[in-house]
């Protein structure tokens, strides 16, 4: 038998996905903000403005611009919630259990988000 994946939707988000979790029809995605259009930046890599943008992106990856947590519906990609974070998550730093979402952050904290 051939395994066929049914494509439903796609969504561009301004976050560099570092941690993902799936729970009850919701995708949770968290990471530092995505501040640069990389393909465009590569076309103008020597431009001082692009170099400045890349430096900001590097600082964001290092956690200096906080982080973003998105909650997205699995059915159609609808944004259910968005949270600005003081620090981005560590790699693979999300876990969902019993109606709660737990995040380990790069500044050494654990955050608990409670469901309804």
């Amino acid at each position: 038998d051939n395994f066929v994946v049914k494509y439903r939707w796609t969504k561009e988000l301004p976050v560099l996905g570092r941690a993902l979790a799936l729970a009850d029809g919701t995708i949770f995605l968290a990471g530092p903000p995505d501040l640069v259009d990389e393909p465009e930046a590569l076309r103008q890599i020597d431009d001082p403005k692009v170099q400045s943008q890349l430096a900001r992106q590097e600082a964001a990856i290092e956690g200096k611009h906080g982080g973003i947590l998105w909650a997205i519906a699995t059915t159609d990609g609808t944004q259910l919630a968005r949270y600005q974070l003081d620090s981005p998550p560590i790699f693979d730093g999300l876990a969902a259990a019993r109606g709660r979402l737990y995040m380990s952050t790069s500044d050494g904290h654990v955050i608990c988000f409670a469901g309804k």
Side-chain angles (χ1 to χ4, degrees):
D1 292 356
N2 290 336
F3 180 73
V4 178
V5 176
K6 184 177 178 185
Y7 176 81
R8 293 187 182 178
W9 53 267
T10 186
K11 190 164 194 97
E12 295 263 341
L13 298 173
V15 61
L16 297 171
R18 185 178 284 171
L20 289 167
L22 174 64
D24 295 328
T26 302
I27 299 169
F28 297 96
L29 167 69
D34 186 4
L35 305 173
V36 175
D37 178 351
E38 287 85 1
E40 184 62 32
L42 286 174
R43 287 193 267 286
Q44 303 174 31
I45 194 72
D46 294 325
D47 183 328
K49 182 178 177 182
V50 170
Q51 288 295 314
S52 175
Q53 291 172 340
L54 290 171
R56 283 191 69 231
Q57 185 67 73
E58 183 177 2
I61 291 169
E62 293 171 354
K64 296 176 183 171
H65 295 293
I68 304 168
L69 169 65
W70 288 81
I72 305 160
T74 58
T75 54
D76 60 6
T78 300
Q79 175 184 325
L80 303 174
R82 180 184 182 280
Y83 300 94
Q84 192 67 37
L85 307 167
D86 291 335
S87 179
I90 62 169
F91 178 76
D92 221 8
L94 284 177
R98 298 183 181 249
R100 291 186 164 86
L101 181 70
Y102 300 91
M103 179 188 307
S104 296
T105 64
S106 61
D107 66 355
H109 292 91
V110 175
I111 301 171
C112 175
F113 300 89
K116 296 177 183 177

